[in-house]
Amino acid sequence: MTIISGPAEFNAEDLYVDLRPIVDHSLFLKCEGFNFAGSIKLKAAAAMVEAAERDGTLKPGSVLVESSSGNLGAALSIIAASKGYGFLCVTDARCNLSARRFIEAMGGRVHIIAEPAATGGLLGARIAHVTALCAADDRYVWLNQYTNADNWKAHYRTTAPGIAHHFPRLDALFVGAGTTGTLMGCARYFRERHPAVKVVAVDSAGSVTFGGEPGRRMIPGLGTSVRPALLDESYVDEVIHVEEADTVRACHRLARRGFLFGGSTGTVVSGATAWLARHGTLRLTAVAIAPDLGERYLDTIYQTNWLHALYGEDVLGPDPVTPDLESA
């Protein structure tokens, strides 16, 4: 029996999906969405709030404010509700409607930024809005997931050691790159403790995180329009960029086997599968981190009209799994 008194106290840390029957490679998916926030962001949110409480930045009456594309906002909203803080999430139109409703259900508020900044795009505009709010009212406390070291330290202490424990002969670890908190926490841990493990960052095409040209990105989660301050590329062995159409196809491929995951997970699985295909002659053990589940993407990645409008009617191609009932 597990009994908790706060929503941050529960996280299904040791759940993995064996993807070999689906992707034809030795790939194990670490599922981080089974908690009350629905994503891996609960770890970073809890760590940053606890640190701010310890150093006195957060006080009774404080209002947490954060720029988020959805998942961190949802995580902070439940922690703020459980601790009695106010919460304001600054996001943009790419944030899933279900994530915005989740935040509001927890008593939080949502500001949606419509116009990109001249430099930094929508993320730059979101950060500017947060900065202005904090300057105008000292009740606002910005944890700043983009620069806060407690973001990556949460994964250095929990995510990475858990993977190392269950896979002592791990060859490759695939981690999505957003704020790069998860990536840097895991990469630092494995470089220090298990340097033979190759850490591969998976990013969205159109992201500038690793110096690429900015491009259209419609699926929230991974990728940035401003290089993350937390990123230290010296800890990363390789970088893979994934087109959003490939993200969509990976999500649907998993769903056709009964696993409903989010866009960030689809991106990581697509990148990992492509990398393993290129190294097919090697017998490798690989783990990919699945940051989220798919319920918040039902109106986007899993909605036919949305897909066709953005990626064309043939984005999914022929369905290789669903049987032809008429000919059966």
Side-chain angles (χ1 to χ4, degrees):
M1 177 185 296
T2 300
I3 299 175
I4 65 172
S5 57
E9 296 174 19
F10 173 77
N11 191 64
E13 188 68 59
D14 299 326
L15 178 62
Y16 293 79
V17 176
D18 184 350
L19 292 183
R20 285 177 293 185
I22 303 175
V23 302
D24 299 322
H25 296 286
S26 182
L27 180 62
F28 299 89
L29 192 61
K30 187 179 193 306
C31 301
E32 290 281 355
F34 291 97
N35 56 53
F36 285 93
S39 82
I40 197 171
K41 291 293 188 178
L42 183 63
K43 292 178 177 178
M48 291 190 294
V49 168
E50 289 166 6
E53 289 176 329
R54 286 195 303 269
D55 66 20
T57 304
L58 272 176
K59 309 176 184 68
S62 291
V63 178
L64 287 165
V65 58
E66 187 60 73
S67 162
S68 170
S69 60
N71 281 339
L72 183 73
L76 283 173
S77 72
I78 68 170
I79 292 177
S82 69
K83 291 176 173 286
Y85 300 118
F87 177 61
L88 170 60
C89 180
V90 179
T91 189
D92 57 64
R94 292 173 299 180
C95 178
N96 294 320
L97 178 61
S98 60
R100 283 150 48 187
R101 287 176 173 169
F102 183 101
I103 293 167
E104 291 168 344
M106 295 294 155
R109 293 178 291 146
V110 179
H111 285 187
I112 301 174
I113 302 302
E115 295 297 327
T119 58
L122 286 168
L123 177 56
R126 280 162 35 188
I127 291 174
H129 186 73
V130 172
T131 303
L133 287 170
C134 293
D137 191 335
D138 60 10
R139 293 176 304 165
Y140 285 113
V141 175
W142 182 24
L143 298 175
N144 195 348
Q145 63 167 326
Y146 310 105
T147 64
N148 194 321
D150 289 295
N151 185 345
W152 68 260
K153 288 178 181 178
H155 303 288
Y156 184 94
R157 292 192 299 264
T158 61
T159 310
I163 294 169
H165 172 72
H166 290 293
F167 295 89
R169 297 184 178 181
L170 183 66
D171 295 299
L173 175 65
F174 299 90
V175 189
T179 65
T180 69
T182 306
L183 173 64
M184 294 313 304
C186 291
R188 287 174 182 269
Y189 178 89
F190 279 99
R191 178 65 57 84
E192 294 174 10
R193 309 292 182 88
H194 306 277
V197 175
K198 183 179 289 292
V199 176
V200 181
V202 184
D203 198 11
S204 300
S207 167
V208 306
T209 298
F210 294 94
E213 290 295 319
R216 184 187 78 163
R217 292 179 295 108
M218 300 304 297
I219 300 174
L222 301 185
T224 63
S225 54
V226 177
R227 180 182 169 88
L230 295 178
L231 177 63
D232 183 341
E233 290 187 59
S234 68
Y235 288 95
V236 178
D237 295 298
E238 195 170 338
V239 179
I240 297 174
H241 286 90
V242 175
E243 297 288 342
E244 286 193 334
D246 292 324
T247 291
V248 167
R249 284 188 279 268
C251 286
H252 281 258
R253 187 177 187 184
L254 292 167
R256 293 298 183 269
R257 297 297 186 96
F259 295 107
L260 191 72
F261 285 106
S264 298
T265 299
T267 301
V268 174
V269 169
S270 178
T273 303
W275 189 93
L276 290 168
R278 292 198 300 272
H279 297 78
T281 58
L282 302 177
R283 299 189 61 169
L284 301 174
T285 298
V287 168
I289 297 177
D292 55 2
L293 301 178
E295 286 86 350
R296 290 179 185 151
Y297 297 82
L298 291 176
D299 293 330
T300 54
I301 288 174
Y302 297 103
Q303 210 282 326
T304 301
N305 291 338
W306 187 89
L307 287 180
H308 289 176
L310 290 176
Y311 308 108
E313 295 188 1
D314 60 347
V315 61
L316 296 179
D319 187 342
V321 175
T322 304
D324 184 351
L325 298 180
E326 291 185 359
S327 61

